[in-house]
Amino acid sequence: MREKYEEDVAGPFISIQDEIMQKYAKPGDSIPTILLDEALKEGYFAFNRQDGETLSFKIKYDNGSWEYNLEK
């Protein structure tokens, strides 16, 4: 990300990952999987619970920050 953008996209990207995990993660959850589009501006952040439930978040970079929405 640092090589692709002049602005700091990586710092906010790490922050949004931390924000999601702090709010939603529980002990025993899997390591998150992150999928981004070719432009590195939107994608999904997902992880599984021990009971098999999957939490999936749509993430998008816009106006200098990353936003997310929990998809059900």
Side-chain angles (χ1 to χ4, degrees), residues 20-58:
I20 292 169
M21 294 305 288
Q22 292 293 327
K23 186 171 182 179
Y24 294 98
K26 295 180 180 178
D29 289 351
S30 69
I31 294 173
T33 299
I34 302 165
L35 302 171
L36 296 174
D37 68 355
E38 192 172 306
L40 303 178
K41 289 198 173 191
E42 61 183 82
Y44 289 92
F45 181 95
F47 58 92
N48 295 321
R49 299 224 184 266
Q50 273 185 324
D51 65 5
E53 177 186 15
T54 298
L55 276 74
S56 179
F57 302 85
K58 174 79 173 172

Side-chain angles (χ1 to χ4, degrees), residues 59-70:
I59 57 175
K60 184 175 184 177
Y61 183 75
D62 190 31
N63 293 325
S65 65
W66 286 88
E67 300 173 359
Y68 71 90
N69 290 307
L70 175 62

Side-chain angles (χ1 to χ4, degrees), residues 8-22:
D8 180 21
V9 177
F13 184 74
I14 293 168
S15 295
I16 199 68
Q17 292 176 58
D18 183 55
E19 183 178 324
I20 292 169
M21 294 305 288
Q22 292 293 327

